[in-house]
């Protein structure tokens, strides 16, 4: 059986399934209990599992993440939610100094199997500090896995994989597509493995690598170019560890690449993919890698965010540049 | 401020001596002496370049040993980076402590049977961990464990101190927060950390009890910690489980071997506090109560000298870790990129040999 769910509903479905499956899994954060989360990602869980497993915490990001580290070290599997990824910075020290390093620092005596969830990215006309796309911070930190689904089906399956992962996971949910569309999602528990990209559409002329909310405008751009340019769209899904094999395999086929992400360009994950292509497939390369990204500016307020975010026209231009070089 | 014995080892008026066996009293003293001797030797090893930067504990033995001995075996200790003495009581061998400060990650691997959390360096960051661990224990319906977390006076200025204690109060977790107020956060005095009259009174803001204790009086520390541990497990009606203990004390040496305390504090101040040294104080108490003789002390000193020498020898004989260890334990599941880096690194080792890759 399956249900037609939005991405945020699929997140909730994944949380509920894992909580039912494993008593050690608990959800914590600000407004996640009775209110069901500001985006409703935890709606209904409080009634089903009670206040000891769906915990409204004080408003304190470092406290939420830091206590979750302690819980995880003690054998529970906490899934803390930070209300917006732009508010993760007060807890950044706990993420990079402890969540990421506990296994290393204790030589495996203590581990930190937790999943830190946060809605991320722009495109919903939110106030300042509510639209950041800073996945690169977490990708840069050894010890963490970083995942960002682009479909409801993946959101549920990847979240279940994340909760079952023995390594700590930063699970970033693109809020622009929380409710943008629906998809059939199995009722049953299933895993979409972390570390595996998905080829969303096959093509032979240009490989386009993207993830999260940018996947849909990229697919749209590819469709618009159809007939002129045969585009392969690869949704990376997990940014750490990166699915190098799929990236390289696709690039060897096309010899041309464009990367689409909404994060700022400089030292973004696109730079890492570009370097990977250079290292692994230089002799296949027919054109410079195009980066179609956000700009190196703070995320603008609502009036300008459409100009900041890559949209299909900008993506088309970038793909064309890669093709026509 | 709670006190049991004064500077001369006399029981202060009205104070009750904790209910310990004669052997336990002597054991407490022995641990303190061992911690002191270890500390002296570690500083000396650093000066000789045989270990790296090291944070000395001399002056704080009363607080460390007194509090650690108040824990039951199943209780947990969450240290900062200076609790070598407390760690010793809880089953962390001196060799491990030396290895850590020599730069071996293995030094940070706590033995399986010791309930000690890994050393934390970023100030106050271990406080939310202790709260989370205690909270997890409570969610698992364990009623019999307390979680003792150590930090310094500087840590009380950090957000994580506030957040960790605030969560503990809200969720009523079985925590004991133990502030080693040693008067100085590197070169900045306690008065520059807070305008509060005491650090203990900060507990009021979180809804639970704060206690100020003479941190250089091991018996007072033991007594106060024991009470806090018991309350964490079994509070009275209407009483919250957590306690904030402020142990007022002094570090005689530097913050770490990298700073020179003579730059920021007067020798007079140090001398004033040396008069409160927990070691002679405890020794006098034990002799006065016929629990210890001069011969016992002599024998103890000889044994300790051997123990410390053995630990140093064992640590120094430990070979440099296999560099492959850098790559291990980063993830449970090693990512391909890291595997590639490891393979490349191995090829460089094969090509040049380890000797060529090391500085002298």
């Amino acid at each position: 059986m399956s249900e037609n769910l939005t991405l945020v509903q699929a997140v909730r479905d994944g949380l509920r399934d894992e909580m039912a499956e494993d008593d050690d899994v608990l959800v914590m954060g600000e407004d996640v209990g009775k209110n069901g989360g500001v985006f409703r990602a935890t709606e209904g869980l409080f009634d089903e599992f009670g206040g000891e497993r769906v915990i409204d915490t004080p408003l304190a990001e470092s406290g939420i993440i830091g206590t979750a580290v302690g819980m995880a070290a003690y054998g529970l599997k906490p899934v803390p939610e930070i209300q917006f990824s732009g508010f993760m910075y007060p807890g950044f020290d706990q993420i990079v100094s402890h969540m990421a390093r506990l296994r290393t620092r204790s030589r495996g005596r203590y581990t930190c199997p937790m999943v830190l969830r946060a809605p991320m990215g722009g495109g919903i006309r939110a106030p300042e500090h509510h639209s950041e796309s800073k996945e690169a911070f977490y990708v840069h930190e050894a010890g963490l896995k970083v995942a960002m689904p682009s479909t409801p089906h993946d959101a549920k399956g990847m979240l279940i994989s994340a909760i079952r992962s023995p390594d700590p996971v930063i699970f970033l949910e693109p809020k622009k597509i929380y409710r943008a569309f629906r998809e059939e999602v199995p009722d049953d528990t299933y895993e979409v493995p972390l570390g595996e990209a998905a080829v969303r559409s096959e093509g032979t002329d240009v490989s386009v690598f993207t993830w999260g909310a940018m996947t849909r405008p990229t697919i749209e751009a590819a469709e618009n170019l159809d007939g002129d340019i045969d585009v392969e769209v690869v949704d990376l899904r997990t940014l750490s560890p990166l699915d190098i094999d799929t990236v390289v395999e696709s690039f060897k086929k096309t010899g041309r690449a464009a990367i689409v992400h909404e994060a700022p360009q400089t030292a973004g994950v696109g730079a890492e993919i570009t370097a990977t292509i250079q290292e692994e497939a230089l002799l296949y390369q027919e054109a410079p890698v195009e980066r179609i990204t956000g700009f190196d500016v703070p995320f603008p307020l609502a009036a300008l965010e459409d100009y900041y975010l890559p949209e299909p026209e900008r993506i088309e231009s970038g793909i064309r540049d890669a093709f026509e070089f | 401020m709670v006190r049991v014995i004064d500077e001369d080892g006399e029981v202060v008026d009205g104070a009750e001596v904790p209910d310990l066996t004669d052997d336990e009293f002597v054991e407490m003293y022995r641990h303190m002496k061992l911690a002191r001797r270890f500390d002296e030797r570690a500083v000396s090893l650093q000066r000789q370049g045989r270990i790296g930067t090291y944070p000395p504990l001399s002056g704080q033995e009363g607080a460390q040993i007194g509090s650690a001995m108040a824990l039951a075996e199943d209780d947990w200790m969450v240290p900062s980076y200076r609790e070598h003495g407390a760690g010793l009581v809880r089953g962390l061998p001196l060799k491990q402590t030396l290895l850590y400060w020599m730069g071996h990650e293995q030094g940070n691997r706590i033995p399986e049977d010791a309930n000690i959390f890994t050393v934390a360096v970023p100030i106050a960051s271990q406080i939310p961990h202790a709260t989370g661990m205690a909270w997890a224990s409570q969610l698992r319906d364990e009623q019999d464990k307390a979680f003792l977390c150590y930090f310094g006076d500087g840590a009380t200025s950090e957000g994580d101190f506030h957040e960790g204690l605030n969560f503990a109060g809200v969720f009523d977790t079985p925590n004991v927060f133990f502030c080693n107020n040693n008067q100085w956060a590197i070169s900045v005095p306690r008065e520059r950390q807070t305008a509060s009259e005491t650090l203990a009174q900060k507990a009021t803001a979180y809804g639970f009890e704060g206690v100020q204790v003479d941190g250089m009086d091991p018996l007072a520390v033991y007594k106060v910690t024991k009470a806090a541990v018991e309350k964490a497990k079994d509070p009275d009606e209407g009483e919250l489980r957590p306690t904030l203990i402020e142990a007022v004390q002094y570090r005689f040496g530097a913050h770490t071997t990298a700073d020179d305390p003579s730059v920021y504090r007067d020798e007079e101040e140090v001398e004033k506090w040396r008069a409160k040294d927990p070691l002679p104080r405890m020794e006098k108490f034990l002799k006065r109560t016929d629990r210890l003789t001069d011969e016992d002390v002599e024998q103890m000193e000889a044994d300790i000298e051997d123990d410390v020498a053995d630990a140093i020898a064992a640590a120094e004989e430990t070979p440099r870790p296999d560099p492959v260890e850098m790559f291990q334990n980063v993830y449970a599941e090693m990512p391909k990129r890291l595997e590639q880096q490891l393979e490349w690194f191995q090829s460089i080792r094969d090509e040049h040999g380890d000797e060529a890759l090391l500085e002298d």
Side-chain angles (χ1 to χ4, degrees), chain A residues 131-149:
Chain A
S131 302
E132 333 301 294
S133 178
K134 295 295 172 64
E135 60 269 26
F137 288 168
Y138 309 106
V139 170
H140 195 62
E141 190 61 34
L144 297 174
K145 291 179 178 175
V146 182
M148 199 192 297

Side-chain angles (χ1 to χ4, degrees), chain A residues 93-312:
Chain A
D93 179 49
Q94 286 293 346
I95 297 171
V96 299
S97 300
H98 296 294
M99 179 178 166
R101 296 168 64 125
L102 193 53
R103 178 183 293 276
T104 299
R105 282 174 48 231
S106 66
R107 299 278 86 199
R109 168 77 163 88
Y110 302 112
T111 61
C112 196
M114 61 185 271
V115 181
L116 180 60
R117 292 181 42 244
M120 59 72 61
I124 64 156
R125 310 283 186 250
E128 196 177 7
H129 304 297
H130 287 66
S131 302
E132 333 301 294
S133 178
K134 295 295 172 64
E135 60 269 26
F137 288 168
Y138 309 106
V139 170
H140 195 62
E141 190 61 34
L144 297 174
K145 291 179 178 175
V146 182
M148 199 192 297
S150 72
T151 70
H153 180 273
D154 282 0
K156 178 174 174 178
M158 286 167 67
L159 182 58
I160 290 171
S161 293
I163 294 171
R164 294 178 182 179
S165 164
D167 292 309
V169 181
I170 305 282
F171 198 83
L172 298 168
E173 297 160 10
K175 56 186 175 289
K176 182 179 166 60
I177 54 171
Y178 258 160
R179 296 187 171 80
F181 59 100
R182 289 173 179 274
E183 188 180 42
E184 287 296 315
V185 172
D187 284 339
D188 295 345
T189 296
Y190 61 95
E191 291 188 51
V192 173
L194 301 184
E196 289 186 15
V199 177
R200 296 297 180 196
S201 67
E202 293 198 18
T204 53
D205 290 337
V206 180
S207 300
V208 187
F209 302 107
T210 190
W211 54 90
M214 290 298 103
T215 306
R216 282 164 61 81
T218 300
I219 291 169
E220 190 183 329
E223 284 166 358
N224 292 343
L225 289 166
D226 197 27
D228 297 337
I229 307 172
D230 190 16
V231 178
E232 177 146 304
V233 178
V234 179
D235 173 3
L236 289 174
R237 302 197 290 196
T238 305
L239 301 170
S240 179
L242 205 58
D243 183 352
I244 300 167
D245 293 346
T246 301
V247 169
V248 171
E249 192 186 326
S250 176
F251 186 77
K252 282 183 174 172
K253 183 168 69 174
T254 62
R256 295 168 192 271
I259 297 157
V260 184
H261 64 62
E262 64 175 89
Q265 184 177 89
T266 300
V269 177
E272 184 57 39
I273 295 166
T274 307
T276 300
I277 289 168
Q278 303 284 307
E279 286 169 356
E280 307 275 340
L282 182 68
L283 297 180
Y284 294 81
Q285 190 161 355
E286 303 284 352
V289 176
E290 285 292 324
R291 284 187 283 172
I292 304 132
T293 69
F295 303 112
D296 291 352
V297 300
F299 197 95
L301 290 179
L304 289 178
E305 74 175 329
D306 288 349
Y307 289 98
Y308 172 90
L309 289 170
E311 29 59 68

Side-chain angles (χ1 to χ4, degrees), chain B residues 81-133:
Chain B
Y81 45 76
R82 202 189 296 279
E83 276 73 41
H84 329 309
L88 185 66
V89 175
R90 301 286 299 159
L92 186 68
L94 289 179
K95 177 191 157 190
Q96 293 269 116
T97 302
L98 281 168
L99 279 178
Y100 178 72
W101 297 104
M102 284 174 171
H104 292 242
E105 302 271 5
Q106 279 299 344
N108 220 348
R109 192 180 200 289
I110 307 298
E112 293 293 336
D113 58 352
N115 286 356
I116 306 173
F117 203 51
T118 308
V119 162
V121 170
I123 303 300
S125 62
Q126 72 277 19
I127 299 174
H129 305 160
T131 304
M133 291 169 80

